[in-house]
Amino acid sequence: MLAFALRRLFVSIPILIVSTFVVFVMASLSANPLSYLIARNPPPPPQVIEGERHRLYLDQPLLERYWHWLTGLFRGDFGPSIDSTVNIRAEIFDRFGVTLRLIVLAMLLALILAVIVGVVSAVRQYSKFDYTATFFGFLFLSMPAFWFAILLKQMGISINTAANDQILYTIGSGSIYVNGGFGAHLGDILGHMILPTISLALTTYAAWSRFQRGSMLEVLGSDYVRLARAKGLPRWTVTRKHALRNALIPLTTITALDIGSILGGAVVTETVFQWQGAGTFLLDSIHKSDVYALEAWLLVAATFVIVLNLIADLLYGVLDPRIRYA
């Protein structure tokens, strides 16, 4: 298993390098990072423009600029930002810290709901619960992420207005001023996470629950499950020990493949609820044509996706011993 993990890591490194190079080339050729400076009226002196060009390494060839950025990573240097007061390394990790708590909590909630609803729907196929779960699954699946987030935000505003109090937080990832100690700060953070987490989790859970239901139905109809039932084992024991473990393998695969989509959903969710996380950092970097900030965002996001896919591959061996022994 260790050798398999090391092989996957070595294969992921070239993928990571190629992805950063492609984004660097596309971002560098799409716009001029100094356009905001050149468009000023009155225009700044030529010396100022040349100074910024030199600071951003725009006076160097494209490949040399990429190589300078790539080698700088080993020194912890993520490159200069268009805003000279911004440290990209500190900013990107702060922003991703805000976003990861949303993604992790939303994924956990979506997985729990998907497993419970998928298993119960498969065990009670064509029951009222199955039809109801199918209806709501397709309902959430058909909702655009931004539209559902806006609906939840408006619902929160309506509840606050009706109660004449702050019941649900609809703006920001945390309050500016919080009176109290650690517990008060933690409660404030969790309160701001309620609506964004529900928005991201339900739109994600919908597809996962359908995969879990289909996988569970396939396993329940297999020969070894029928044999276990014929031996007189209790139904819950057969479902939990023999069926559920194998039925989780396809869900593990689709969860790993959906990491990129979840990151995209987090960008939309953060924009609607006005979080200062990785999503708004990405949009601001695109708007400003901040190439090095885009590269930093891609590097951290791609590393996150690769690590979670590696964890999913290792979970195959935990769920199915035959894979581990092979």
Side-chain angles (χ1 to χ4, degrees):
M1 187 65 71
L2 178 60
F4 170 75
L6 292 176
R7 286 199 303 269
R8 286 301 306 269
L9 282 176
F10 287 135
V11 170
S12 301
I13 292 174
I15 297 175
L16 192 60
I17 293 175
V18 171
S19 63
T20 57
F21 177 74
V22 171
V23 170
F24 188 87
V25 173
M26 294 177 64
S28 299
L29 299 178
S30 62
N32 183 8
L34 298 179
S35 58
Y36 79 99
L37 195 61
I38 299 173
R40 286 183 180 177
N41 190 16
Q47 295 84 353
V48 174
I49 297 177
E50 286 301 318
E52 282 295 290
R53 191 184 303 277
H54 178 73
R55 186 180 69 85
L56 298 174
Y57 306 116
L58 297 176
D59 53 353
Q60 299 177 4
L62 182 63
L63 294 179
E64 188 174 342
R65 284 156 50 196
Y66 175 75
W67 177 252
H68 183 85
W69 174 82
L70 188 63
T71 54
L73 292 177
F74 297 99
R75 303 188 301 271
D77 182 12
F78 282 73
S81 172
I82 287 181
D83 187 350
S84 59
T85 62
V86 172
N87 185 313
I88 293 181
R89 181 181 63 181
E91 189 74 10
I92 195 71
F93 284 114
D94 287 344
R95 295 294 192 95
F96 263 96
V98 173
T99 299
L100 285 181
R101 69 190 185 207
L102 170 63
I103 292 177
V104 171
L105 186 59
M107 286 183 63
L108 287 176
L109 180 59
L111 281 172
I112 293 172
L113 287 175
V115 171
I116 293 175
V117 173
V119 170
V120 176
S121 296
V123 172
R124 300 182 179 180
Q125 188 181 15
Y126 303 133
S127 64
K128 292 182 179 179
F129 179 88
D130 185 24
Y131 286 124
T132 303
T134 300
F135 171 78
F136 282 104
F138 282 115
L139 178 65
F140 292 128
L141 190 62
S142 62
M143 285 186 179
F146 74 93
W147 186 66
F148 186 46
I150 292 173
L151 287 181
L152 285 178
K153 184 175 181 178
Q154 289 300 120
M155 181 196 72
I157 294 173
S158 299
I159 292 175
N160 292 339
T161 303
N164 198 24
D165 194 7
Q166 187 75 51
I167 306 298
L168 295 171
Y169 294 96
T170 57
I171 294 177
S173 57
S175 301
I176 299 176
Y177 299 106
V178 179
N179 295 323
F182 174 77
H185 284 78
L186 180 61
D188 179 72
I189 291 175
L190 293 177
H192 282 83
M193 291 180 64
I194 293 176
L195 293 181
T197 301
I198 292 174
S199 173
L200 188 58
L202 290 184
T203 53
T204 305
Y205 131 85
W208 290 357
S209 65
R210 306 311 300 165
F211 275 100
Q212 182 62 28
R213 178 183 182 274
S215 176
M216 195 69 184
L217 285 174
E218 183 178 356
V219 173
L220 288 175
S222 59
D223 293 337
Y224 70 89
V225 171
R226 289 198 295 267
L227 177 61
R229 288 177 178 173
K231 288 181 177 180
L233 292 177
R235 184 177 182 181
W236 171 243
T237 302
V238 174
T239 301
R240 181 172 58 88
K241 288 188 175 182
H242 297 276
L244 178 58
R245 190 168 181 175
N246 287 327
L248 287 175
I249 295 178
L251 181 61
T252 303
T253 302
I254 195 63
T255 301
L257 293 176
D258 279 352
I259 298 300
S261 300
I262 295 173
L263 276 172
V267 172
V268 174
T269 304
E270 287 184 359
T271 303
V272 173
F273 289 97
Q274 300 177 33
W275 278 37
Q276 294 302 310
T280 52
F281 181 84
L282 172 65
L283 296 178
D284 291 341
S285 301
I286 294 174
H287 178 71
K288 297 176 182 178
S289 300
D290 198 340
V291 177
Y292 295 107
L294 281 173
E295 283 289 284
W297 191 95
L298 172 69
L299 181 67
V300 177
T303 302
F304 178 67
V305 172
I306 288 172
V307 169
L308 287 185
N309 274 272
L310 177 61
I311 293 174
D313 289 339
L314 296 179
L315 282 176
Y316 294 153
V318 176
L319 296 173
D320 191 346
R322 294 172 298 176
I323 298 175
R324 182 170 65 249
Y325 297 146

